Amino acid sequence: MKFTGKAVGLILLAALLSGCGSTPGNESGAQNEVNSETILQTAENVHRQWRDQLIQAESLRIYSPSKYDLMMVSWQKADLLFKDIQQKPEMALQSVSLFSSTTYIDRFYEDIAVVKSNHKELEYFKRVADDVLAPAITQIAYLNSIDANQHYRSEFVRLNRFYARLFNSIARGDVSDAKKDQIEFLSRAHSLEIRVIKRIYILPQEDALRELRRNDVRYYAPLSYAKVEAEITSGKTLIDNSPRAFDAINQTVSAIQFELAHAEHIANEVKSLRDRSRDEYESFILELEGNLLDISLALKDDDLRDIPLSQQAKRIKEDVTIARRKYEIASKQLKRNEADDQLALLETLINQQNEQISLLQSQLKRLTEVSREPEMNVPPIELSTVPAAEQHREITMDKDEGVNELDEQDIELM
């Protein structure tokens, strides 16, 4: 709603005309007071509406910062003006200056009109940009979710500036330019995403590898060290191709961590072996052989120390393979037996249910046959036309005859 000076003038004119119809001056004053209250109430409703609507308006800033700033400045002016009018209602219809017919309430609605106009344009820009720039909006949201700003701040800031230019193109009406620039934006954003994922998942493993190198693991265990480097390279390649394949990335990280621990362990063993004197070699070999003996005894109660260590390890490996195969066969047989037991139980339940169904069906059949039998013909009872006195006499005689017949039967039985 927009009040102009003419609108206020019409209100005042109506108040004057209504005052002319009544001579007392207090009626005219009362009418003016009612008009002021109506104007203030209407302004209060408008103010409340836009106050509630602009609470969540910060999200519109990206679509056109200049229009958003103009909208908020106009709202601040309208808000302050309304609060002044609210404290002094009589100033609503007063002119803002001696040389202007614009009233304070007119100025309030002018500021509200600016707010409304810019808000409407921002909503339009939002509808267009959300459709055209949907890939860019999704990508920047994902970068925020992985804290790209924390890992590569300067690059993320530059990317955000590029992102803002896309929306400026929409605001200018250059939709084709926005689509073209979005392709480059997505390429840069994808590159930044890959760098962030590598920093999160691969960088800690590279730091651990550098620590091993400082501890001379590369010198004592070069093969194991090279295995770690190969796993790290494989992880980087995976992220380059599929930076969001987190299941595979986590598996690769686990493999890298395993090789890191293995390389460190091998390096420590090599250091320990080099620090031994020749007199300690036999005890070292016997210690290894004792470990193999424990395993062979646990598997088949065999003592393999009469053959070389390499053959002992080979025999133990074969025994382990056979034991595992037997375990798998036994597990499958156990599962098969359990399945057979369950199947037998299900068959028993089904047979019981079939018996119950057959019983119910036979009962239902009998009930159906009984319901189809013809009804018995019962002759109707005829009401006697004999007088009541004669009926009573006949009933009494029947009773006496019945008693006499009973007495005669009793005598015969005796």
Side-chain angles (χ1 to χ4, degrees), residues 31-307:
Q31 185 67 31
N32 290 334
E33 183 177 354
V34 170
N35 291 335
S36 298
E37 291 179 356
T38 302
I39 292 173
L40 183 61
Q41 183 64 39
T42 303
E44 184 177 358
N45 293 336
V46 173
H47 177 270
R48 185 187 305 109
Q49 172 191 350
W50 282 104
R51 180 195 61 194
D52 297 341
Q53 195 165 359
L54 294 178
I55 290 177
Q56 304 296 333
E58 177 65 26
S59 60
L60 297 175
R61 182 182 183 86
I62 184 65
Y63 299 98
S64 178
S66 59
K67 290 189 177 297
Y68 175 83
D69 292 340
L70 179 59
M71 178 182 69
M72 296 308 297
V73 168
S74 298
W75 166 248
Q76 291 174 359
K77 290 164 60 178
D79 181 56
L80 292 175
L81 190 57
F82 172 76
K83 291 177 179 178
D84 292 339
I85 295 174
Q86 200 173 29
Q87 293 179 356
K88 298 179 180 180
E90 65 275 6
M91 69 178 294
L93 300 178
Q94 294 178 1
S95 299
V96 296
S97 67
L98 296 175
F99 305 99
S100 175
S101 61
T102 302
T103 63
Y104 286 100
I105 197 66
D106 290 336
R107 181 63 57 82
F108 168 77
Y109 282 110
E110 288 175 358
D111 293 333
I112 291 295
V114 175
V115 172
K116 182 178 180 180
S117 175
N118 285 276
H119 187 272
K120 183 178 180 180
E121 290 188 67
L122 287 170
E123 288 286 351
Y124 171 74
F125 294 155
K126 182 180 185 303
R127 289 193 298 272
V128 176
D130 287 353
D131 180 41
V132 175
L133 303 179
I137 294 173
T138 302
Q139 181 65 28
I140 203 71
Y142 180 74
L143 290 176
N144 284 320
S145 69
I146 60 177
D147 295 328
N149 188 36
Q150 301 296 326
H151 296 286
Y152 295 99
R153 182 175 180 80
S154 59
E155 186 170 345
F156 185 77
V157 170
R158 290 194 297 270
L159 188 67
N160 253 328
R161 292 172 182 169
F162 194 178
Y163 181 67
R165 290 204 300 270
L166 300 178
F167 291 91
N168 290 335
S169 297
I170 295 294
R172 293 194 307 269
D174 298 331
V175 176
S176 59
D177 290 344
K179 290 181 178 179
K180 182 179 64 177
D181 293 339
Q182 181 177 222
I183 297 174
E184 182 181 353
F185 168 82
L186 292 175
S187 176
R188 294 186 185 181
H190 182 71
S191 176
L192 178 59
E193 176 186 343
I194 290 175
R195 293 182 61 189
V196 171
I197 298 300
K198 285 183 179 179
R199 184 161 188 163
I200 294 174
Y201 290 92
I202 301 299
L203 182 61
Q205 319 312 321
E206 290 180 327
D207 292 340
L209 183 62
R210 280 191 289 269
E211 182 65 24
L212 292 183
R213 184 165 52 197
R214 283 193 292 268
N215 294 331
D216 295 331
V217 172
R218 188 174 187 179
Y219 171 73
Y220 289 108
L223 298 179
S224 300
Y225 186 91
K227 181 64 174 175
V228 178
E229 290 181 322
E231 290 291 345
I232 290 177
T233 301
S234 175
K236 289 181 177 180
T237 302
L238 173 62
I239 294 176
D240 287 335
N241 297 328
S242 304
R244 301 188 187 184
F246 292 109
D247 290 339
I249 292 172
N250 285 321
Q251 291 178 3
T252 301
V253 170
S254 297
I256 295 172
Q257 293 173 345
F258 177 87
E259 295 300 337
L260 283 167
H262 180 256
E264 184 178 9
H265 158 69
I266 294 298
N268 291 332
E269 293 294 337
V270 172
K271 288 180 183 179
S272 176
L273 184 61
R274 287 192 173 189
D275 292 338
R276 294 176 183 271
S277 63
R278 292 185 178 181
D279 297 335
E280 296 175 331
Y281 286 171
E282 182 181 5
S283 61
F284 177 75
I285 298 299
L286 291 174
E287 182 180 355
L288 292 178
E289 190 177 51
N291 293 331
L292 293 176
L293 176 63
D294 292 337
I295 298 173
S296 63
L297 291 175
L299 285 172
K300 293 182 62 177
D301 198 20
D302 284 346
D303 189 347
L304 306 176
R305 289 178 296 172
D306 57 337
I307 60 178

Side-chain angles (χ1 to χ4, degrees), residues 321-337:
T321 303
I322 295 172
R324 178 179 294 177
R325 188 178 299 114
K326 290 181 178 179
Y327 173 77
E328 292 176 352
I329 294 173
S331 298
K332 291 179 180 179
Q333 184 63 36
L334 179 61
K335 292 180 180 179
R336 190 179 299 111
N337 294 337

Side-chain angles (χ1 to χ4, degrees), residues 15-32:
L16 292 175
L17 292 176
S18 62
C20 293
S22 177
T23 53
N26 56 352
E27 292 184 3
S28 176
Q31 185 67 31
N32 290 334

